[in-house]
Amino acid sequence: MRLKSISNIAKITKSMKMIASTKVTKAQRNMETARAYGQSANSLLSHIEVVQKEAANPLVVAVSSDRGLCGGIHSSVSRAVKRYMANHQEASIAVIGQKARNQIQRDYRENIIIHFDQVTKVGPLWLEASMIADQILGSKAEGGADKLENGGTIVYNKFKSVISYEATPLAVHSAETIAAAPKLAAYEVDDAILKSYEEFTLANSLYWALAEGYASEMAAKRTAMENATKNAGEMITKLTLTYNRSRQAAITNELIDIITGASSLN
């Protein structure tokens, strides 16, 4: 019974590995596109030398998902957020994904102002990122102040390779911070345009983070399922050997009984 159960589990994990392998390729293509847009949009901020001011109440956005069976990828984001919170006790937290929320709220439940579940169910979408950005910027109705006015940081899993990822911070800036940049005077920009640019950069950065995190998650799931299939195979080998030994011992005992009975008749 146990051998049959583990064999069925091995079939499931092998299938999940094949599905994850297919999704990794597509996720990498989407991630590369999102990375190009994200880096190009943020290049303006580097060019005008935007400096993020230190604030007691910044915003930190944790980007994860609702899915499991992918190793410690969610714990990576949660640990990075907790390290950030250790130096910013009054910071506000927005969490994308149920897995990271369950871990972060153990220590910083009161700091979580908004959370989002069921994100990237079919992969990262610009529409989802835009709606999340709009909700975060609109959270001032509950928090009493614009949560991005003090600056913010997006914490996400940066895709490095199919076997490697790293929790990485990505700074986001308010319109006021961008307006105070030393080299912004080289551009003729109205305040209304800066506010729109603030909203766009937040949505664009979130989409970039979601795409990187999704690719990292699919790669981690592929690795986890590959390891699970390998472990199941090793267990099947050991259980088969144990079963064969037990069966051989039973046969040997029966032969001994038959030979002993025959000898006693003689």
Side-chain angles (χ1 to χ4, degrees):
M1 179 64 71
R2 187 180 177 190
L3 182 61
K4 184 177 181 181
S5 298
I6 295 175
S7 298
N8 292 336
I9 291 172
K11 292 177 183 178
I12 293 170
T13 54
K14 186 176 180 181
S15 300
M16 293 180 69
K17 173 196 168 185
M18 295 174 64
I19 294 170
S21 299
T22 304
K23 290 184 177 181
V24 165
T25 305
K26 183 179 179 180
Q28 278 186 268
R29 289 198 300 266
N30 292 339
M31 176 206 66
E32 289 168 359
T33 303
R35 181 183 289 177
Y37 278 103
Q39 290 175 342
S40 61
N42 288 333
S43 63
L44 173 63
L45 302 177
S46 300
H47 179 69
I48 63 177
E49 299 180 358
V50 173
V51 178
Q52 184 64 61
K53 61 182 180 180
E54 285 293 329
N57 184 24
L59 173 71
V60 56
V61 183
V63 179
S64 70
S65 73
D66 302 334
R67 292 175 291 269
L69 300 177
C70 48
I73 194 163
H74 304 302
S75 299
S76 173
V77 170
S78 300
R79 287 194 299 267
V81 170
K82 290 179 180 180
R83 286 195 299 268
Y84 181 90
M85 292 298 295
N87 298 321
H88 304 81
Q89 292 290 334
E90 301 299 321
S92 301
I93 306 175
V95 187
I96 300 174
Q98 191 178 49
K99 294 295 183 179
R101 176 166 62 90
N102 292 339
Q103 296 176 19
I104 294 171
Q105 68 182 3
R106 296 171 190 168
D107 300 313
Y108 300 101
R109 180 184 295 272
E110 299 301 324
N111 297 78
I112 298 177
I113 59 169
I114 192 170
H115 61 85
F116 306 91
D117 298 338
Q118 303 297 319
V119 180
T120 67
K121 290 188 69 175
V122 294
L125 300 173
W126 171 258
L127 177 61
E128 284 185 337
S130 302
M131 293 175 67
I132 291 171
D134 186 61
Q135 289 287 324
I136 290 174
L137 291 173
S139 64
K140 61 184 177 181
E142 299 178 9
D146 189 341
K147 291 303 179 184
L148 199 59
E149 67 179 1
N150 294 324
T153 301
I154 298 173
V155 180
Y156 68 100
N157 282 308
K158 182 178 182 180
F159 182 89
K160 300 181 73 175
S161 70
V162 292
I163 59 172
S164 177
Y165 57 87
E166 181 181 9
T168 305
L170 177 63
V172 290
H173 307 282
S174 65
E176 292 76 12
T177 303
I178 298 173
K183 295 186 178 181
L184 185 64
Y187 302 89
E188 295 181 1
V189 182
D190 297 330
D191 292 340
I193 295 177
L194 280 180
K195 191 63 180 176
S196 297
Y197 187 71
E198 172 197 68
E199 297 171 0
F200 170 76
T201 52
L202 177 59
N204 195 53
S205 297
L206 283 173
Y207 178 66
W208 178 13
L210 287 170
E212 292 261 5
Y214 184 76
S216 301
E217 181 185 339
M218 289 299 106
K221 178 169 287 189
R222 178 187 178 279
T223 302
M225 292 301 101
E226 183 177 10
N227 292 335
T229 304
K230 181 180 177 181
N231 293 337
E234 292 175 356
M235 289 186 67
I236 289 171
T237 301
K238 291 179 181 179
L239 289 173
T240 301
L241 182 60
T242 302
Y243 171 76
N244 289 337
R245 284 177 177 174
S246 300
R247 182 169 172 269
Q248 187 64 43
I251 293 172
T252 302
N253 290 333
E254 290 178 1
L255 288 174
I256 292 173
D257 291 340
I258 293 171
I259 293 171
T260 303
S263 298
S264 64
L265 290 176
N266 293 332

